[in-house]
Amino acid sequence: MVELGWAGGLVVRTRGNQLVFDPDSTRPQGKNCSVFVSHAHADHFTGLKGKSPKYSTVETRRIFEGIYSKSVINFHDINLNKPVHLGDAEVTPINAGHMLGSTQFLVSLPDTTILYTGDINCLDTLTTKKADGVECDILVIEATYGEPSYIFPDRESTYADIVRWALSQIANGLLPVFQVYAAGKAQELTKLFNMYTNLDVVTDQRISRVNDVYSANGLQMKYRELSTTPDRSSCVYLTANPNTFSMEECARAVTTGWALRMNARRIAAFPLSSHADFGQLLRFVKGCKAKTVYSFTGYTDIFTEYIRRKLGIASRPLPALAQKTLCSFH
């Protein structure tokens, strides 16, 4: 029998084996436990801090170590589309399109296949290729923007809006300051300003370390780390530190999918997301041809109801492992 559900992360229990995906704590996960980490964002990489055997791409590990200056122990690197064999389970990393090194995980068992998406993005960006779709029996998918009103504008149009805004602030004598995630979004903006402007990109220390990892993986980044007050006439500043917004003579901005509903007056908000929007999520679900869909994170109730009614697929929010087993749901 296979058990599947949420227990501080997605847990798949098979005969004599326990697979934990993106655990949210470092506490011991039990005997014969293997931890898989999908990408290097703080709400997903906690498992890299624990003692259990852990698996992720080398890029994910390097970004984590670059930000925290802490080595990962008991680590096994994985490569896209190359399966890892653990007992009766075969776990294959699949490109997730979310950031450098991000993966989905396809778990192949004797009687079923389970695809865990982690966070996915289904469009090409300046720094990533769109998530790969894989057919499976059971799909466990994030629903961060699983609500019909979250349809993002054309990405190229958003890129143009960001560049125009930054140039207009410089023309007004202000320093454009973007508060962004140190990993993922910062590199997309670095690449954007490198490709479409002559502006210097100035970054804080954490972003610089991640930029180094991206550059080492063939995504060349032109930037310099902040050492003195930036020249307001020729640069943009990218920072993961919200306190930077107290800098004088700066214009502030954020880039996030939540910008579609933000009512910001003193800050510019651009709907640039590394997550799939509602339409992308639906297309991804259809492409997987799963018989059962579980969702986690965000608008799980709305998204699962939509899948049931509009797509005719059995769907529900991912249950706590103690509540249901895979067999009882079916």
Side-chain angles (χ1 to χ4, degrees), residues 3 36 67 72 85 117 142 170 179 190 203 238 244 254 265 295:
E3 293 181 290
F36 290 82
I67 292 176
V72 179
H85 297 274
T117 65
E142 62 116 339
I170 291 172
Q179 183 192 350
T190 299
T203 60
L238 310 182
T244 306
V254 294
R265 296 182 178 180
S295 64

Side-chain angles (χ1 to χ4, degrees), residues 9-30:
L10 172 67
V11 176
V12 178
R13 291 177 183 158
T14 66
R15 184 176 302 169
N17 208 20
Q18 180 168 262
L19 310 176
V20 184
F21 299 88
D22 290 342
D24 60 10
S25 78
T26 59
R27 64 180 180 270
Q29 301 289 339

